[in-house]
């Protein structure tokens, strides 16, 4: 029923979020005067879109730039180039030639009512000096939506929806477990009834049993509120459970993107093969065929390799891979399966 509802919402709908050519580079400074000698290319030309009511899973190993992508989309980190459009509004459009179109501060503040984030760390993301009621209700005050008893009633209702007792409203974060803290973070993200929530690895710091509870809660809330998620994670089994589409990132770029079922059933990029082969199988009688990378550490985003960024570790690399950067293109007639690999193009 949930899947059918999602497909009905997404069919023919315009993208809620559209990201084109996004780059987020951080300067590397040295010397007495802080001269820029290079850049950390955390995000380097990422493009994707999410339709209303859908979940796009963004996966990859640590340091690939997936969390930076989510924060840049929301304007929490300044972008170097590219554009982000939410509904019919342009958050920013930064051209390589220097042209800039930026949403004003007041307009961006109003827009943030519709775009929220759930942070990875349930311990560091909550102010230890504020009560649960103050944490969840702060946005209601900032955006002048409710105050006094009305605000308290809204906060109590949000706590109920995320599986917490309204009696916790006057308690402090240190009185809760990690799973309970993450539920508080989810309630805070829901306070303004947003349309898009960036889930920045919301379950990676939790125990496995608590992870399943939080994932089920996110799915229930999506159905109830009609939410759209950008779900960032490094655990592919988690992403398979919640996502409709999956984009695989490596060294700041998307190397493969497809629907969940297609990508898990028939992955095409060698990096995706390696990631999927590393997922443990919860059955002692079955053995998964491991696809190993070449020996070596991931390249530095300060000085990425020429050609395909994955070629130094790729088990299928050939001469062309070290010279030419592959483009993210559709795989034959499969317009919804994009691959950035010379094996196919």
């Amino acid at each position: 029923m949930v899947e059918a509802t999602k497909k009905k919402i997404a069919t023919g709908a315009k993208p809620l979020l559209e990201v084109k050519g996004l780059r987020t580079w951080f300067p590397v400074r040295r010397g007495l005067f802080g001269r820029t000698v290079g850049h950390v290319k955390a995000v380097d030309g990422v493009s994707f879109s999410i339709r209303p009511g859908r979940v796009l899973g963004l996966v990859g190993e640590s340091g690939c730039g997936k969390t930076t992508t989510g924060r840049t989309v929301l304007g929490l980190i300044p972008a170097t180039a590219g554009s982000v459009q939410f509904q019919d509004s342009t958050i920013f459009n930064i051209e390589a030639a220097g042209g800039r179109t930026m949403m004003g501060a007041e307009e961006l503040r109003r827009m943030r009512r519709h775009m929220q984030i759930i942070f990875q760390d349930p311990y560091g993301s909550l102010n230890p000096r504020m009560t649960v009621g103050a944490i969840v209700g702060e946005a209601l005050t900032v955006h002048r939506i409710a105050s006094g008893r009305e605000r308290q009633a809204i906060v109590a209702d949000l706590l109920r929806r995320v599986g917490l007792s309204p009696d916790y409203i006057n308690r402090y974060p240190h009185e809760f477990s990690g799973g309970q803290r993450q539920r508080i973070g989810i309630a805070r993200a829901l306070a303004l009834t947003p349309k898009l929530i960036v889930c920045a690895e919301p379950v990676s710091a939790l125990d496995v049993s608590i992870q399943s509870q939080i994932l089920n809660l996110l799915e229930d809330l999506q159905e109830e509120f009609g939410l759209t998620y950008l779900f960032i994670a490094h655990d592919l089994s988690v992403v398979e459970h919640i996502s409709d589409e999956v984009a695989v990132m490596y060294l700041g770029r998307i190397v493969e993107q497809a629907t969940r079922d297609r990508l898990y059933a028939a992955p095409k990029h060698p990096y995706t093969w390696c990631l999927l082969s590393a997922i443990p199988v919860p059955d002692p009688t079955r053995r998964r065929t491991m696809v190993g990378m070449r020996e070596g550490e991931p390249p530095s985003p300060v000085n990425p390799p020429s050609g395909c960024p994955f070629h130094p570790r790729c088990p299928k690399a050939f001469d062309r891979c070290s010279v030419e950067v592959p483009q993210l293109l559709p795989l034959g007639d499969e317009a919804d399966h994009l691959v950035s690999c010379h094996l196919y193009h």
Side-chain angles (χ1 to χ4, degrees), residues 25-241:
W25 293 6
F26 300 100
V28 178
R29 306 184 190 278
R30 290 180 184 169
L32 182 63
F33 298 102
R35 184 169 58 91
T36 300
V37 296
H39 290 87
V40 177
K41 299 177 181 178
V43 182
D44 194 19
V46 166
S47 300
F48 61 85
S49 61
I50 314 176
R51 297 188 183 278
R54 304 287 282 181
V55 181
L56 174 65
L58 194 59
V59 302
E61 59 191 336
S62 297
C64 70
K66 55 189 183 297
T67 301
T68 303
T69 299
R71 289 172 177 258
T72 305
V73 165
L74 296 180
L76 301 179
I77 296 176
T80 305
S83 65
V84 172
Q85 185 164 347
F86 180 77
Q87 291 181 316
D88 296 324
S89 302
T90 300
I91 306 298
F92 60 80
N93 185 3
I94 305 173
E95 299 175 2
R100 286 174 173 261
T101 302
M102 306 290 289
M103 184 174 284
E106 181 59 29
E107 191 178 1
L108 181 60
R109 188 183 71 85
R110 291 196 300 268
M111 183 62 67
R112 284 209 170 111
R113 288 186 56 178
H114 308 295
M115 306 168 68
Q116 291 293 307
I117 184 170
I118 301 170
F119 293 99
Q120 174 183 359
D121 184 6
Y123 294 90
S125 62
L126 303 180
N127 190 331
R129 298 185 178 184
M130 295 174 67
T131 64
V132 171
I135 290 171
V136 177
E138 183 179 22
L140 299 172
T141 302
V142 170
H143 289 272
R144 300 176 182 176
I145 295 174
S147 60
R149 291 184 178 179
E150 183 183 1
R151 188 184 84 156
Q152 190 170 3
I154 293 174
V155 171
D157 181 59
L158 287 168
L159 292 178
R160 286 192 201 94
R161 290 175 183 270
V162 299
L164 296 175
S165 171
D167 296 336
Y168 295 164
I169 199 167
N170 293 317
R171 294 189 182 183
Y172 288 85
H174 73 269
E175 300 178 66
F176 298 92
S177 66
Q180 289 175 320
R181 291 184 188 211
Q182 197 62 293
R183 290 174 185 269
I184 296 169
I186 294 171
R188 176 176 60 185
L190 289 173
L192 297 175
T193 59
K195 297 178 180 178
L196 171 73
I197 295 182
V198 175
C199 304
E201 302 198 48
V203 297
S204 63
L206 305 176
D207 294 338
V208 175
S209 59
I210 305 301
Q211 285 185 10
S212 61
Q213 295 176 21
I214 298 299
L215 288 173
N216 290 334
L217 173 63
L218 289 172
E219 286 190 316
D220 292 341
L221 292 172
Q222 182 191 16
E223 183 179 8
E224 182 178 354
F225 291 96
L227 299 171
T228 303
Y229 292 146
L230 172 59
F231 193 91
I232 300 167
H234 60 264
D235 188 336
L236 273 80
S237 58
V238 168
V239 171
E240 183 181 15
H241 177 76

